[in-house]
């Protein structure tokens, strides 16, 4: 098996566990993946939602929780690689970046928008930076901006395709119409090669979005020659995942027809499981009684529902009243497994 090399970081298993908020990928899942040689990723989306003072002291609760989750993941990973996923759309973006640096995270993965100024907030730190892109155009924009303004390139590029879970970097009609994404992956790789050659820097690329099986792993890593894959949905129904057991069971029980596209207040389409919330609340909207000020561009008076509260409900096991983000292949999951068993199966260890 080839290693995933990101500068001076070497993952013996070329799998990055995708960041899943709220409360789905915290230190337990991230540490478990890192212990097996992959890269574990904590989500910075409202990590403090279970803190006792979260509703009265949201920002401080999130900073405190993220600090703790990073430290615990590092301790429990036996020297493994731990990253943090930070959405560009969140408020206090710079503070989350600095929290990652201060607490020893190895990598920041950033999407839900283009992280145009991420290098500014991480200046002088050794932490690796990985933007998420879904097109060659986005790849060019990010690399050009970072080189011109900050004299650096990404340490890793994460490509997310239309079959991924959570927020998607596509228009809703594109998500449903794009069947084969390989051509765009090739274009992105060719684009990053131009920057590699011009600036003499190796930029590894991983792909996420529908990666589920051994065949998927072989296709992207060996047939297409990518440096690794990102997997998220597959790791939810594991003993180590931080989600409530009811959330995990919703994945196990999911059928193909249960997977739907939802419009998110973030301004992007998302993929989630169909339930009471999706069928009855999202179309008509619901009264928002509390704003957590989690998103930069969000007006409680105009959005149909509060995405934070919807995700809190799901993470806490209220699966019929919450937003249950998932990847397209969630219906293939039929049992609760372990991180080790999944990695062994996918990589043929």
């Amino acid at each position: 098996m080839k290693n995933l090399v990101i500068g001076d970081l070497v993952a013996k298993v070329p799998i990055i566990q995708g960041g899943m908020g709220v409360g789905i990928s915290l230190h337990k899942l991230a540490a478990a993946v890192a212990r097996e040689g992959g890269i574990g990723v904590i989500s910075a989306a409202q990590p403090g939602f279970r803190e006792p003072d979260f509703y009265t002291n949201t920002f401080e609760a999130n900073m405190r929780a993220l600090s703790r989750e990073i430290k615990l993941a590092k301790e429990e990973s036996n020297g493994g690689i731990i990253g943090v996923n930070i959405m560009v759309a969140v408020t206090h973006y710079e503070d989350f970046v600095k929290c990652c640096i201060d607490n020893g995270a190895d990598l920041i993965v950033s999407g839900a928008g283009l992280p145009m100024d991420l290098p500014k907030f991480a200046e002088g730190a050794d932490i690796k930076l990985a933007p998420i892109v879904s097109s060659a155009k986005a790849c060019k924009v990010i690399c050009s901006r970072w080189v011109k303004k900050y004299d650096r390139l990404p340490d890793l590029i994460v490509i997310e395709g239309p079959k991924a879970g959570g927020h998607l970097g596509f228009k809703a009609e594109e998500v449903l119409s794009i069947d084969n994404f390989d051509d765009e992956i090739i274009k992105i790789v060719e684009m990053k090669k131009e920057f590699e050659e011009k600036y003499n820097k190796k930029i590894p690329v991983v792909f996420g979005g529908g990666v589920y099986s051994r065949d998927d792993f072989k296709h992207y890593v060996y047939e297409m020659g990518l440096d690794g894959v990102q997997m998220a949905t597959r790791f939810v129904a594991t003993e180590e995942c931080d989600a409530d057991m009811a959330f995990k069971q919703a994945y196990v029980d999911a059928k193909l027809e249960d997977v739907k596209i939802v419009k998110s207040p973030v301004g992007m389409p998302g993929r989630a499981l169909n339930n009471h919330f999706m069928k009855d609340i999202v179309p008509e909207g619901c009264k928002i009684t509390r704003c957590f000020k989690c998103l930069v561009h969000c007006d409680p008076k105009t959005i149909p529902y509060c995405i934070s509260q919807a995700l809190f409900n799901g993470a806490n096991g209220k699966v019929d009243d919450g937003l249950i983000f998932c990847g397209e292949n969630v219906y293939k999951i039929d049992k609760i497994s372990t991180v080790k068993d999944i990695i062994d199966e996918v990589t043929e260890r």
Side-chain angles (χ1 to χ4, degrees), residues 106-226:
D106 301 297
L107 170 73
I108 291 174
V109 181
S110 192
L114 295 180
M116 302 293 276
D117 296 311
L118 177 55
K120 176 174 72 173
F121 306 135
E123 186 176 1
D126 292 332
I127 197 165
K128 303 298 187 289
L129 306 180
I132 297 174
V133 302
S134 294
S135 68
K137 179 180 178 181
C139 179
K140 182 177 181 179
V141 168
I142 283 288
C143 291
S144 298
R145 164 86 171 194
W146 284 21
V147 165
K148 182 177 180 180
K149 195 161 186 181
Y150 303 111
D151 192 29
R152 74 168 296 172
L153 285 168
D155 300 293
L156 167 75
I157 291 174
V158 177
I159 303 173
E160 280 192 2
K163 295 183 179 182
H167 294 111
L168 305 167
F170 302 86
K171 295 178 182 178
E173 57 271 21
E174 291 176 327
V175 173
L176 297 173
S177 64
I178 298 174
D179 184 47
N180 190 321
F181 197 64
D182 286 2
D183 288 345
E184 192 64 33
I185 293 173
I186 292 169
K187 291 177 184 178
I188 295 171
V189 171
E190 290 302 312
M191 177 58 65
K192 71 97 183 181
K193 282 182 179 178
E194 293 181 17
F195 287 91
E196 283 183 321
E197 292 168 3
K198 185 174 181 179
Y199 297 99
N200 193 30
K201 176 184 170 70
K202 169 66 177 173
I203 309 173
V205 175
V206 302
F207 174 75
V211 180
Y212 182 90
S213 68
R214 182 179 303 169
D215 287 342
D216 296 331
F217 179 82
K218 286 180 177 179
H219 174 69
Y220 293 111
V221 175
Y222 294 108
E223 293 174 14
M224 295 197 71
L226 300 184

Side-chain angles (χ1 to χ4, degrees), residues 69-105:
E69 293 297 323
I70 294 170
K71 290 175 181 176
L72 286 171
K74 290 296 292 182
E75 290 172 5
E76 296 177 11
S77 67
N78 297 332
I81 302 171
I82 298 296
V84 178
N85 181 293
I86 310 175
M87 294 197 305
V88 176
V90 298
T91 54
H92 305 292
Y93 183 82
E94 180 178 357
D95 295 291
F96 280 114
V97 172
K98 290 182 176 177
C99 183
C100 294
I101 294 168
D102 292 343
N103 290 282

Side-chain angles (χ1 to χ4, degrees), residues 167-314:
H167 294 111
L168 305 167
F170 302 86
K171 295 178 182 178
E173 57 271 21
E174 291 176 327
V175 173
L176 297 173
S177 64
I178 298 174
D179 184 47
N180 190 321
F181 197 64
D182 286 2
D183 288 345
E184 192 64 33
I185 293 173
I186 292 169
K187 291 177 184 178
I188 295 171
V189 171
E190 290 302 312
M191 177 58 65
K192 71 97 183 181
K193 282 182 179 178
E194 293 181 17
F195 287 91
E196 283 183 321
E197 292 168 3
K198 185 174 181 179
Y199 297 99
N200 193 30
K201 176 184 170 70
K202 169 66 177 173
I203 309 173
V205 175
V206 302
F207 174 75
V211 180
Y212 182 90
S213 68
R214 182 179 303 169
D215 287 342
D216 296 331
F217 179 82
K218 286 180 177 179
H219 174 69
Y220 293 111
V221 175
Y222 294 108
E223 293 174 14
M224 295 197 71
L226 300 184
D227 299 280
V229 295
Q230 177 179 272
M231 297 172 61
T233 295
R234 189 77 200 271
F235 287 123
V236 171
T238 59
E239 295 174 5
E240 299 92 341
C241 181
D242 298 87
D244 186 273
M245 182 54 73
F247 190 100
K248 302 177 188 182
Q249 191 61 42
Y251 271 45
V252 174
D253 296 339
K255 298 179 176 59
L256 175 61
E257 58 268 26
D258 295 329
V259 183
K260 303 294 182 182
I261 302 300
V262 61
K263 183 178 179 181
S264 166
V266 169
M268 296 176 171
R271 180 176 278 107
L273 289 179
N274 205 18
N275 58 6
H276 164 66
F277 181 82
M278 290 275 283
K279 289 182 285 189
D280 302 325
I281 305 300
V282 173
E284 297 182 9
C286 60
K287 184 178 180 181
I288 297 173
T289 57
R290 183 191 301 271
C291 178
F292 300 96
K293 295 180 171 48
C294 57
L295 303 175
V296 175
H297 302 293
C298 180
D299 183 354
K301 297 177 183 177
T302 61
I303 59 173
Y305 61 94
C306 173
I307 190 167
S308 281
Q309 190 60 59
L311 293 170
F312 296 161
N313 289 348

